[in-house]
Amino acid sequence: MTAITQSVDLDRRGRVAVLTVNNPPVNALSQHVRQGLRDGVKQAIADAGVGAIVITCAGRTFIAGADITEFGKPPREPGLHEVLELIEGSPKPVVAAVHGTALGGGLEVTLACHYRVGVKDARFGLPEVKLGLLPGAGGTQRLPRVVGVDKALQMMVSGDPIRADEALKHGLIDEIVEGELTAAGVAFAEKVLKDNRPLRKIRDLTEKVTAARGKPEVFAEFRKSVARQTRGFRAPENIIKAVEAAVNLPFDAGIKRERELFAELLTSPESKAQRYFFFAEREAAKIPDVPGDTPAKDIKKAAVIGAGTMGGGIAMNFANAGIPVTVVEVAKDALDRGLGIVRKNYEATASRGRLTMADVEKRMGLITGTTDFDAIKDADIVIEAVFEEMPIKKEVFAKLDGIAKPDAVLATNTSTLDVNEIASATKRTESVIGMHFFSPANAIATAMTVGRRIAKVPVLVGVCYGFVGNRMLHQRGLQAEKLILEGALPHQVDKVLTNFGFPMGPFAMGDLAGLDVGWRIRKGRGTKSPVADRICELGRFGQKTGLGYFKYEKGDRTPIPDPEVEKIIVDVATDQGITRRHITDEEILQRLLYPMVNEGAKILDEKVAIRASDIDVIWVYGYGWPVYRGGPMFWADQIGLKAVRDKMAELQKATGDAFWTPAPLLKRLADEGKGFTSS
Ligand code: 3HC
Ligand code: NAI
């Protein structure tokens, strides 16, 4: 075995040369990997004793793509294109032998090879779109030539990988192999040599792309079919353009077009935000004081208390991950109603073809409903989702304390209540999730692990009113309410946010969630929100009553502006002596989002969030902040914190409202010329 570079070895198995990439953790195509591949292939070509070459990887996966940390830095030789041209032009057959995931530049390496084999669990994909990019090393040109235009578009625009059996079906791989992978790759290469198979260069294949040649309607139709899910993103359109080039231009001209389209994306603000977010999401898993190897409890059984909106949904997440879950309710009818909704949700998914009825039954079979609290006694984790009232929560936790296993994790799903106070109802505060009282590492590690197992992106935050997400949302809500009194209308306010990239604005969101919820909380607390209160007094609770801030046609969720609401708004404004005026979209955006950024700064100062990027992860995953704008804190950094602070100060001066006082951290970073997510 010869080390070509620190991450690539060359070995000989008879007349087959084996190049093994070993660049943990995911064999990304760092400079030394590219150089190792290039020099290794050159050596193997030069070696008269070598008949064929196998490229494979050590560790947990095949090459998972370009090294994302190298983006934005000066390029270093050799470029990936050069390496791939060398592989494809090799006079000796090159076989890629894949395990784990061949992603992005990794899949592009395999597409430059003459043959591809993979183990049964291998997955193949071009996820560049998720980083706001397109496959920039020939992927947009080669993939359609192998799997056809439709499949290639679908794979590259979704970014989702496909399994080995599907890859085989579409001709992306030549064989699914068993046993030790290197040996299987070598055996396949031997077969190629023995049968004297041709050097199959994908660049020369045309069969699967000619059908779409000169047919712009193929692409127009595809654009239409993905318009909703790709709104606001820049990469999908460039991917489609690149595939059009693959269909209509000779290979080398197509590669040139791909390069141009790639370069455009690489410098785009959308890609910058999405690459930032890729690392932000992974960073969120890292908790200071909780080392990565902290043992997390293996969750074999879960329990959920309450089968309402949240309880039912949480139980589904466990069932989806194959974990049996017991759902406890106070009364039989509430339980039946809750589980009935769970079943209806599953059946709706099945009716859209995304689950089979057998899956529905299997998942329902993992959910056991009961009114007997004793049923939680063997659960490894209990998640409480009962009414948002402290005395009820405390009563439930006191009960759980008496029944749950000593080492069970007790979690509360509360939106706003003090977790420490809830925990005080138990004699095992250290098992209740919350940070202020030194919740021990394994409770946190278990909660984070179970979160990932049920396909969530967990983010650890401290205890405060509304935690991170709702606390910031509240600031936005206060301004939304003010804006409509001063002159904007709900649909204008909402439109500014949907144009920004949110799936909906604050008023449509209120209608969806139910306006009665906030009304009850306000009544309980003795606070008022004049417009919302009047709307509720008319029995307009949002979508569920067909009327809220907007009106709704039966069976349709499209919000329609309602003159009746406009009248309420104008009346309240008159009562309060407010002269309504025209408000620009820019003012709306700043007044809705800057207070969120300011609140985020306070949250960071109070150490309720560990880092600014965690806040961004919460907003992108939890509240529909468009990922191509990174998250509120990253977005503020792009504007420049000085500009944000100055605008806040200007509004404070103009209104005399302390609401606009810039948070100390915002002020300090602005003075120092720094950002929240960068220094
Ligand atoms: N470059 C640099 N670092 C990478 C990386 C990459 N392409 N992919 C993953 N990493 C790092 C992660 O940041 C993480 O680092 P950390 O441990 O310090 O946090 C570590 O590798 C492990 O990653 P995960 O925690 O995500 O590990 P998983 O096992 O959960 O997932 C994976 C593995 C499926 C490979 C996942 O990491 C992934 O999806 N990676 C990105 C793949 C991708 O987008 N590739 C395309 C790159 S763009 C490209 O190739 C352009 C080309 O067309 C020219
Ligand atoms: P919900 O009112 O839909 O459901 C609560 C359920 O708990 C009801 O079915 C009720 O019968 C049951 N329940 C009440 N007391 C109980 C007891 N002692 N034992 C067992 N079951 C009991 O409420 P929802 O919306 O599901 O909220 C639950 C919790 O989740 C609250 O703390 C809420 O703040 C929080 N939450 C709610 C979100 C939402 O969007 N609805 C989002 C995130 C958190």
Side-chain angles (χ1 to χ4, degrees):
M1 180 134 62
T2 324
I4 305 287
T5 59
Q6 69 214 68
S7 57
V8 180
D9 286 333
L10 177 62
D11 196 11
R12 273 283 292 280
R13 303 261 180 118
R15 54 180 174 162
V16 179
V18 177
L19 275 171
T20 307
V21 177
N22 189 3
N23 185 27
V26 298
N27 288 319
L29 285 162
S30 316
Q31 188 277 336
H32 44 86
V33 174
R34 299 194 303 272
Q35 188 188 330
L37 285 174
R38 180 192 64 185
D39 296 350
V41 168
K42 275 190 180 163
Q43 272 194 35
I45 293 173
D47 186 339
V50 168
I53 303 162
V54 168
I55 297 178
T56 191
C57 289
R60 65 197 225 216
T61 177
F62 194 78
I63 300 165
D67 184 342
I68 306 174
T69 59
E70 284 184 0
F71 291 164
K73 296 184 186 153
R76 287 170 65 203
E77 291 291 311
L80 190 52
H81 274 281
E82 179 192 335
V83 181
L84 300 195
E85 273 169 30
L86 179 77
I87 293 174
E88 194 168 51
S90 159
K92 302 174 181 178
V94 186
V95 178
V98 177
H99 76 296
T101 41
L103 297 180
L107 186 65
E108 290 174 303
V109 168
T110 76
L111 291 170
C113 295
H114 306 109
Y115 294 95
R116 285 158 294 283
V117 299
V119 298
K120 150 169 131 310
D121 299 332
R123 281 146 64 89
F124 305 82
L126 291 172
E128 284 85 347
V129 70
K130 295 186 179 170
L131 300 170
L133 296 170
L134 58 72
T140 64
Q141 304 304 299
R142 291 195 178 90
L143 190 65
R145 286 173 158 81
V146 187
V147 302
V149 171
D150 287 348
K151 188 71 191 166
L153 280 172
Q154 186 220 321
M155 280 177 72
M156 289 191 281
V157 169
S158 74
D160 296 333
I162 60 172
R163 291 152 36 123
D165 49 358
E166 207 182 335
L168 183 67
K169 193 177 103 195
H170 289 277
L172 182 55
I173 58 174
D174 301 285
E175 202 172 293
I176 294 178
V177 295
E178 284 180 7
E180 203 266 316
L181 181 61
T182 306
V186 169
F188 186 88
E190 283 288 356
K191 239 181 354 192
V192 170
L193 289 176
K194 189 165 138 277
D195 301 346
N196 215 358
R197 293 197 205 173
L199 293 173
R200 201 160 159 268
K201 293 186 194 174
I202 291 176
R203 57 174 287 142
D204 296 337
L205 306 178
T206 51
E207 193 194 326
K208 290 197 172 169
V209 291
T210 42
R213 194 164 291 164
K215 289 207 184 118
E217 64 275 16
V218 171
F219 297 94
E221 231 164 75
F222 183 78
R223 281 189 175 91
K224 224 169 90 194
S225 72
V226 294
R228 245 187 79 182
Q229 84 219 43
T230 59
R231 185 177 73 98
F233 289 88
R234 192 188 290 255
E237 176 55 26
N238 280 26
I239 290 174
I240 299 172
K241 282 185 183 153
V243 176
E244 284 188 285
V247 165
N248 295 311
L249 299 178
F251 184 81
D252 289 327
I255 288 280
K256 197 166 154 258
R257 183 81 183 113
E258 179 192 87
R259 270 186 208 227
E260 289 161 10
L261 291 163
F262 181 82
E264 221 173 272
L265 293 176
L266 194 57
T267 52
S268 70
E270 289 85 355
S271 176
K272 189 174 168 206
Q274 286 176 264
R275 279 179 276 141
Y276 155 79
F277 194 75
F278 175 88
F279 289 110
E281 190 182 331
R282 278 148 185 88
E283 200 61 23
K286 293 170 196 157
I287 313 295
D289 309 329
V290 183
D293 56 2
T294 304
K297 270 178 63 60
D298 185 21
I299 302 294
K300 295 200 190 69
K301 274 192 107 164
V304 175
I305 315 298
T309 316
M310 295 305 296
I314 296 167
M316 288 171 75
N317 287 315
F318 282 96
N320 297 348
I323 302 169
V325 53
T326 302
V327 179
V328 187
E329 255 293 346
V330 262
K332 180 85 173 62
D333 57 336
L335 181 65
D336 291 346
R337 198 172 340 114
L339 294 186
I341 293 171
V342 169
R343 174 173 282 281
K344 246 176 64 191
N345 286 338
Y346 275 138
E347 286 173 354
T349 312
S351 72
R352 287 193 297 270
R354 288 203 258 126
L355 277 183
T356 64
M357 277 315 284
D359 291 333
V360 174
E361 293 312 325
K362 196 168 140 208
R363 290 180 194 195
M364 285 308 295
L366 286 169
I367 304 177
T368 313
T370 177
T371 51
D372 178 9
F373 261 77
D374 278 342
I376 64 134
K377 65 176 181 299
D378 55 353
D380 302 302
I381 185 165
V382 184
I383 299 178
E384 166 277 316
V386 304
F387 298 136
E388 182 76 345
E389 283 172 41
M390 188 54 92
I392 304 184
K393 301 255 191 221
K394 280 180 138 173
E395 192 193 310
V396 167
F397 270 79
K399 226 173 186 172
L400 294 179
D401 193 25
I403 303 169
K405 290 202 295 199
D407 62 341
V409 170
L410 306 183
T412 171
N413 184 49
T414 181
S415 314
T416 50
L417 300 175
D418 184 337
V419 181
N420 298 335
E421 193 180 338
I422 297 176
S424 72
T426 73
K427 287 191 263 330
R428 42 169 126 175
T429 48
E430 75 290 349
S431 291
V432 181
I433 295 301
M435 272 228 306
H436 282 173
F437 49 86
F438 305 105
S439 185
N442 25 6
I444 295 173
T446 303
M448 300 292 283
T449 308
V450 82
R452 278 190 290 275
R453 252 189 88 189
I454 60 176
K456 300 283 165 199
V457 179
V459 180
L460 184 67
V461 300
V463 176
C464 66
Y465 179 78
F467 307 110
V468 172
N470 287 352
R471 179 168 157 184
M472 287 164 71
L473 184 70
H474 182 65
Q475 303 302 314
R476 190 180 87 176
L478 291 175
Q479 282 304 307
E481 191 70 38
K482 282 210 153 104
L483 282 163
I484 54 174
L485 287 176
E486 288 174 33
L489 287 172
H491 61 91
Q492 185 197 357
V493 173
D494 277 10
K495 186 96 183 94
V496 169
L497 282 196
T498 52
N499 284 346
F500 182 78
F502 277 98
M504 62 180 90
F507 295 106
M509 197 175 103
D511 278 359
L512 176 72
L515 302 178
D516 52 324
V517 183
W519 191 37
R520 290 220 175 91
I521 294 178
R522 286 195 297 278
K523 281 203 278 194
R525 289 226 187 110
T527 57
K528 283 198 180 332
S529 175
V531 175
D533 291 348
R534 279 206 206 174
I535 289 178
C536 287
E537 279 155 19
L538 297 173
R540 301 177 67 122
F541 294 158
Q543 284 193 20
K544 58 184 154 191
T545 58
L547 293 168
Y549 280 107
F550 300 103
K551 54 184 176 184
Y552 298 86
E553 304 279 358
K554 224 179 154 48
D556 190 348
R557 290 172 182 269
T558 317
I560 305 166
D562 187 347
E564 208 175 311
V565 172
E566 206 171 312
K567 185 168 177 308
I568 295 174
I569 294 170
V570 173
D571 287 350
V572 174
T574 311
D575 286 355
Q576 298 194 354
I578 298 170
T579 314
R580 288 172 62 79
R581 63 185 168 93
H582 172 72
I583 301 184
T584 64
D585 288 357
E586 189 194 3
E587 179 178 344
I588 292 177
L589 194 72
Q590 289 176 337
R591 282 182 53 186
L592 291 177
L593 302 190
Y594 285 8
M596 283 174 46
V597 171
N598 203 45
E599 199 65 27
K602 292 181 192 165
I603 286 170
L604 282 174
D605 239 357
E606 293 165 23
K607 302 201 175 353
V608 167
I610 297 171
R611 44 183 100 79
S613 60
D614 283 3
I615 297 179
D616 288 342
V617 172
I618 290 171
W619 268 85
V620 168
Y621 275 112
Y623 297 83
W625 182 286
V627 64
Y628 55 82
R629 293 191 200 273
M633 309 316 275
F634 178 85
W635 175 76
D637 284 352
Q638 305 313 300
I639 295 170
L641 297 191
K642 195 171 167 307
V644 176
R645 183 218 33 208
D646 291 351
K647 184 76 205 178
M648 298 266 309
E650 181 195 314
L651 284 163
Q652 188 194 6
K653 217 166 142 207
T655 59
D657 189 347
F659 176 90
W660 292 108
T661 312
L665 180 65
L666 173 62
K667 269 200 228 40
R668 203 183 73 227
L669 291 174
D671 284 341
E672 293 170 359
K674 291 185 179 158
F676 293 118
T677 63
S678 56
S679 44

mmCIF file of all heavy atoms in Angstrom, residues 547-572:
data_model
loop_
_atom_site.group_PDB
_atom_site.id
_atom_site.type_symbol
_atom_site.label_atom_id
_atom_site.label_comp_id
_atom_site.label_asym_id
_atom_site.label_seq_id
_atom_site.Cartn_x
_atom_site.Cartn_y
_atom_site.Cartn_z
ATOM 1 N N LEU A 547 -64.230 32.646 10.104
ATOM 2 C CA LEU A 547 -64.020 34.087 10.179
ATOM 3 C C LEU A 547 -63.012 34.399 11.273
ATOM 4 O O LEU A 547 -63.063 33.807 12.355
ATOM 5 C CB LEU A 547 -65.331 34.797 10.546
ATOM 6 C CG LEU A 547 -66.482 34.781 9.545
ATOM 7 C CD1 LEU A 547 -67.755 35.276 10.225
ATOM 8 C CD2 LEU A 547 -66.161 35.644 8.333
ATOM 9 N N GLY A 548 -62.102 35.327 10.963
ATOM 10 C CA GLY A 548 -61.133 35.768 11.970
ATOM 11 C C GLY A 548 -60.668 37.137 11.539
ATOM 12 O O GLY A 548 -61.497 38.000 11.251
ATOM 13 N N TYR A 549 -59.371 37.343 11.435
ATOM 14 C CA TYR A 549 -58.869 38.582 10.835
ATOM 15 C C TYR A 549 -59.271 38.623 9.365
ATOM 16 O O TYR A 549 -59.392 39.670 8.759
ATOM 17 C CB TYR A 549 -57.355 38.640 10.937
ATOM 18 C CG TYR A 549 -56.871 39.077 12.299
ATOM 19 C CD1 TYR A 549 -56.295 38.172 13.179
ATOM 20 C CD2 TYR A 549 -57.002 40.405 12.692
ATOM 21 C CE1 TYR A 549 -55.845 38.582 14.425
ATOM 22 C CE2 TYR A 549 -56.565 40.822 13.929
ATOM 23 C CZ TYR A 549 -55.985 39.903 14.799
ATOM 24 O OH TYR A 549 -55.559 40.319 16.019
ATOM 25 N N PHE A 550 -59.420 37.418 8.794
ATOM 26 C CA PHE A 550 -59.858 37.299 7.410
ATOM 27 C C PHE A 550 -61.148 36.493 7.380
ATOM 28 O O PHE A 550 -61.566 35.929 8.379
ATOM 29 C CB PHE A 550 -58.786 36.582 6.581
ATOM 30 C CG PHE A 550 -57.469 37.301 6.567
ATOM 31 C CD1 PHE A 550 -56.407 36.863 7.353
ATOM 32 C CD2 PHE A 550 -57.278 38.426 5.772
ATOM 33 C CE1 PHE A 550 -55.183 37.528 7.343
ATOM 34 C CE2 PHE A 550 -56.056 39.095 5.753
ATOM 35 C CZ PHE A 550 -55.008 38.647 6.545
ATOM 36 N N LYS A 551 -61.757 36.432 6.174
ATOM 37 C CA LYS A 551 -62.843 35.459 6.045
ATOM 38 C C LYS A 551 -62.375 34.329 5.142
ATOM 39 O O LYS A 551 -61.435 34.476 4.359
ATOM 40 C CB LYS A 551 -64.108 36.124 5.514
ATOM 41 C CG LYS A 551 -63.962 36.893 4.228
ATOM 42 C CD LYS A 551 -65.283 37.577 3.897
ATOM 43 C CE LYS A 551 -65.108 38.445 2.652
ATOM 44 N NZ LYS A 551 -66.282 39.206 2.292
ATOM 45 N N TYR A 552 -63.045 33.191 5.273
ATOM 46 C CA TYR A 552 -62.626 31.996 4.541
ATOM 47 C C TYR A 552 -63.834 31.362 3.867
ATOM 48 O O TYR A 552 -64.915 31.288 4.465
ATOM 49 C CB TYR A 552 -61.982 30.979 5.498
ATOM 50 C CG TYR A 552 -60.748 31.527 6.155
ATOM 51 C CD1 TYR A 552 -60.834 32.281 7.324
ATOM 52 C CD2 TYR A 552 -59.485 31.351 5.585
ATOM 53 C CE1 TYR A 552 -59.696 32.840 7.909
ATOM 54 C CE2 TYR A 552 -58.346 31.889 6.164
ATOM 55 C CZ TYR A 552 -58.458 32.640 7.327
ATOM 56 O OH TYR A 552 -57.334 33.189 7.905
ATOM 57 N N GLU A 553 -63.640 30.925 2.616
ATOM 58 C CA GLU A 553 -64.686 30.148 1.951
ATOM 59 C C GLU A 553 -64.688 28.760 2.570
ATOM 60 O O GLU A 553 -63.651 28.276 3.013
ATOM 61 C CB GLU A 553 -64.378 30.004 0.450
ATOM 62 C CG GLU A 553 -64.171 31.311 -0.296
ATOM 63 C CD GLU A 553 -65.475 31.985 -0.696
ATOM 64 O OE1 GLU A 553 -66.542 31.397 -0.407
ATOM 65 O OE2 GLU A 553 -65.426 33.084 -1.268
ATOM 66 N N LYS A 554 -65.833 28.104 2.522
ATOM 67 C CA LYS A 554 -65.900 26.756 3.104
ATOM 68 C C LYS A 554 -64.896 25.823 2.422
ATOM 69 O O LYS A 554 -64.797 25.812 1.202
ATOM 70 C CB LYS A 554 -67.322 26.201 2.930
ATOM 71 C CG LYS A 554 -67.798 25.522 4.201
ATOM 72 C CD LYS A 554 -69.208 24.994 4.070
ATOM 73 C CE LYS A 554 -69.467 23.836 4.991
ATOM 74 N NZ LYS A 554 -69.047 24.001 6.371
ATOM 75 N N GLY A 555 -64.142 25.095 3.228
ATOM 76 C CA GLY A 555 -63.208 24.114 2.683
ATOM 77 C C GLY A 555 -61.970 24.718 2.026
ATOM 78 O O GLY A 555 -61.221 24.025 1.365
ATOM 79 N N ASP A 556 -61.758 26.018 2.215
ATOM 80 C CA ASP A 556 -60.599 26.669 1.599
ATOM 81 C C ASP A 556 -59.869 27.482 2.671
ATOM 82 O O ASP A 556 -60.498 28.185 3.459
ATOM 83 C CB ASP A 556 -61.105 27.597 0.479
ATOM 84 C CG ASP A 556 -59.955 28.133 -0.370
ATOM 85 O OD1 ASP A 556 -58.784 27.980 0.039
ATOM 86 O OD2 ASP A 556 -60.238 28.706 -1.434
ATOM 87 N N ARG A 557 -58.553 27.355 2.688
ATOM 88 C CA ARG A 557 -57.782 28.055 3.732
ATOM 89 C C ARG A 557 -57.213 29.390 3.257
ATOM 90 O O ARG A 557 -56.388 29.992 3.941
ATOM 91 C CB ARG A 557 -56.628 27.162 4.199
ATOM 92 C CG ARG A 557 -57.088 25.967 4.997
ATOM 93 C CD ARG A 557 -55.923 25.028 5.247
ATOM 94 N NE ARG A 557 -56.342 23.848 5.971
ATOM 95 C CZ ARG A 557 -56.324 23.757 7.294
ATOM 96 N NH1 ARG A 557 -55.923 24.767 8.034
ATOM 97 N NH2 ARG A 557 -56.708 22.646 7.888
ATOM 98 N N THR A 558 -57.628 29.848 2.069
ATOM 99 C CA THR A 558 -57.098 31.116 1.572
ATOM 100 C C THR A 558 -57.728 32.287 2.329
ATOM 101 O O THR A 558 -58.952 32.425 2.347
ATOM 102 C CB THR A 558 -57.439 31.289 0.075
ATOM 103 O OG1 THR A 558 -57.211 30.044 -0.572
ATOM 104 C CG2 THR A 558 -56.627 32.396 -0.552
ATOM 105 N N PRO A 559 -56.896 33.132 2.962
ATOM 106 C CA PRO A 559 -57.455 34.272 3.700
ATOM 107 C C PRO A 559 -57.985 35.337 2.740
ATOM 108 O O PRO A 559 -57.286 35.724 1.797
ATOM 109 C CB PRO A 559 -56.271 34.816 4.503
ATOM 110 C CG PRO A 559 -55.048 34.141 3.991
ATOM 111 C CD PRO A 559 -55.424 33.075 3.024
ATOM 112 N N ILE A 560 -59.195 35.791 2.964
ATOM 113 C CA ILE A 560 -59.782 36.843 2.125
ATOM 114 C C ILE A 560 -60.003 38.077 3.006
ATOM 115 O O ILE A 560 -60.633 37.977 4.061
ATOM 116 C CB ILE A 560 -61.140 36.380 1.544
ATOM 117 C CG1 ILE A 560 -60.949 35.056 0.787
ATOM 118 C CG2 ILE A 560 -61.767 37.462 0.654
ATOM 119 C CD1 ILE A 560 -62.245 34.340 0.473
ATOM 120 N N PRO A 561 -59.475 39.253 2.576
ATOM 121 C CA PRO A 561 -59.666 40.463 3.382
ATOM 122 C C PRO A 561 -61.156 40.723 3.614
ATOM 123 O O PRO A 561 -61.973 40.490 2.726
ATOM 124 C CB PRO A 561 -59.042 41.558 2.506
ATOM 125 C CG PRO A 561 -58.061 40.846 1.635
ATOM 126 C CD PRO A 561 -58.652 39.491 1.385
ATOM 127 N N ASP A 562 -61.487 41.191 4.827
ATOM 128 C CA ASP A 562 -62.886 41.348 5.189
ATOM 129 C C ASP A 562 -63.165 42.802 5.613
ATOM 130 O O ASP A 562 -62.584 43.283 6.598
ATOM 131 C CB ASP A 562 -63.191 40.390 6.354
ATOM 132 C CG ASP A 562 -64.666 40.363 6.682
ATOM 133 O OD1 ASP A 562 -65.402 41.246 6.196
ATOM 134 O OD2 ASP A 562 -65.079 39.449 7.435
ATOM 135 N N PRO A 563 -64.038 43.506 4.878
ATOM 136 C CA PRO A 563 -64.341 44.908 5.212
ATOM 137 C C PRO A 563 -64.835 45.074 6.647
ATOM 138 O O PRO A 563 -64.612 46.112 7.281
ATOM 139 C CB PRO A 563 -65.457 45.271 4.235
ATOM 140 C CG PRO A 563 -65.416 44.251 3.156
ATOM 141 C CD PRO A 563 -64.789 43.019 3.709
ATOM 142 N N GLU A 564 -65.470 44.046 7.180
ATOM 143 C CA GLU A 564 -65.980 44.140 8.546
ATOM 144 C C GLU A 564 -64.824 44.326 9.548
ATOM 145 O O GLU A 564 -64.930 45.098 10.502
ATOM 146 C CB GLU A 564 -66.756 42.866 8.877
ATOM 147 C CG GLU A 564 -67.833 43.103 9.907
ATOM 148 C CD GLU A 564 -68.675 41.846 10.124
ATOM 149 O OE1 GLU A 564 -69.131 41.241 9.120
ATOM 150 O OE2 GLU A 564 -68.839 41.467 11.290
ATOM 151 N N VAL A 565 -63.736 43.594 9.295
ATOM 152 C CA VAL A 565 -62.561 43.704 10.172
ATOM 153 C C VAL A 565 -61.927 45.079 9.993
ATOM 154 O O VAL A 565 -61.517 45.726 10.956
ATOM 155 C CB VAL A 565 -61.553 42.580 9.856
ATOM 156 C CG1 VAL A 565 -60.241 42.799 10.614
ATOM 157 C CG2 VAL A 565 -62.152 41.226 10.207
ATOM 158 N N GLU A 566 -61.889 45.517 8.729
ATOM 159 C CA GLU A 566 -61.335 46.838 8.444
ATOM 160 C C GLU A 566 -62.080 47.896 9.264
ATOM 161 O O GLU A 566 -61.479 48.809 9.828
ATOM 162 C CB GLU A 566 -61.508 47.117 6.953
ATOM 163 C CG GLU A 566 -60.500 48.086 6.414
ATOM 164 C CD GLU A 566 -60.576 48.163 4.883
ATOM 165 O OE1 GLU A 566 -60.597 47.113 4.197
ATOM 166 O OE2 GLU A 566 -60.653 49.286 4.409
ATOM 167 N N LYS A 567 -63.392 47.741 9.352
ATOM 168 C CA LYS A 567 -64.211 48.709 10.078
ATOM 169 C C LYS A 567 -63.848 48.673 11.577
ATOM 170 O O LYS A 567 -63.708 49.718 12.218
ATOM 171 C CB LYS A 567 -65.692 48.399 9.870
ATOM 172 C CG LYS A 567 -66.581 49.432 10.485
ATOM 173 C CD LYS A 567 -68.025 49.334 10.067
ATOM 174 C CE LYS A 567 -68.875 50.357 10.790
ATOM 175 N NZ LYS A 567 -68.750 50.360 12.235
ATOM 176 N N ILE A 568 -63.695 47.454 12.099
ATOM 177 C CA ILE A 568 -63.311 47.332 13.520
ATOM 178 C C ILE A 568 -61.996 48.064 13.761
ATOM 179 O O ILE A 568 -61.848 48.828 14.717
ATOM 180 C CB ILE A 568 -63.162 45.845 13.927
ATOM 181 C CG1 ILE A 568 -64.512 45.138 13.837
ATOM 182 C CG2 ILE A 568 -62.564 45.722 15.329
ATOM 183 C CD1 ILE A 568 -64.453 43.637 14.079
ATOM 184 N N ILE A 569 -61.046 47.835 12.857
ATOM 185 C CA ILE A 569 -59.722 48.444 13.021
ATOM 186 C C ILE A 569 -59.837 49.971 13.015
ATOM 187 O O ILE A 569 -59.287 50.659 13.888
ATOM 188 C CB ILE A 569 -58.771 47.970 11.893
ATOM 189 C CG1 ILE A 569 -58.495 46.459 12.040
ATOM 190 C CG2 ILE A 569 -57.462 48.746 11.907
ATOM 191 C CD1 ILE A 569 -57.779 45.826 10.850
ATOM 192 N N VAL A 570 -60.569 50.487 12.032
ATOM 193 C CA VAL A 570 -60.715 51.940 11.922
ATOM 194 C C VAL A 570 -61.418 52.496 13.170
ATOM 195 O O VAL A 570 -61.009 53.522 13.728
ATOM 196 C CB VAL A 570 -61.485 52.316 10.628
ATOM 197 C CG1 VAL A 570 -61.787 53.812 10.596
ATOM 198 C CG2 VAL A 570 -60.667 51.920 9.400
ATOM 199 N N ASP A 571 -62.458 51.780 13.639
ATOM 200 C CA ASP A 571 -63.173 52.222 14.846
ATOM 201 C C ASP A 571 -62.239 52.281 16.053
ATOM 202 O O ASP A 571 -62.245 53.256 16.814
ATOM 203 C CB ASP A 571 -64.332 51.262 15.176
ATOM 204 C CG ASP A 571 -65.484 51.441 14.196
ATOM 205 O OD1 ASP A 571 -65.447 52.414 13.404
ATOM 206 O OD2 ASP A 571 -66.415 50.593 14.216
ATOM 207 N N VAL A 572 -61.465 51.230 16.240
ATOM 208 C CA VAL A 572 -60.561 51.202 17.402
ATOM 209 C C VAL A 572 -59.552 52.336 17.286
ATOM 210 O O VAL A 572 -59.260 53.033 18.269
ATOM 211 C CB VAL A 572 -59.851 49.838 17.542
ATOM 212 C CG1 VAL A 572 -58.808 49.888 18.652
ATOM 213 C CG2 VAL A 572 -60.848 48.721 17.815
#
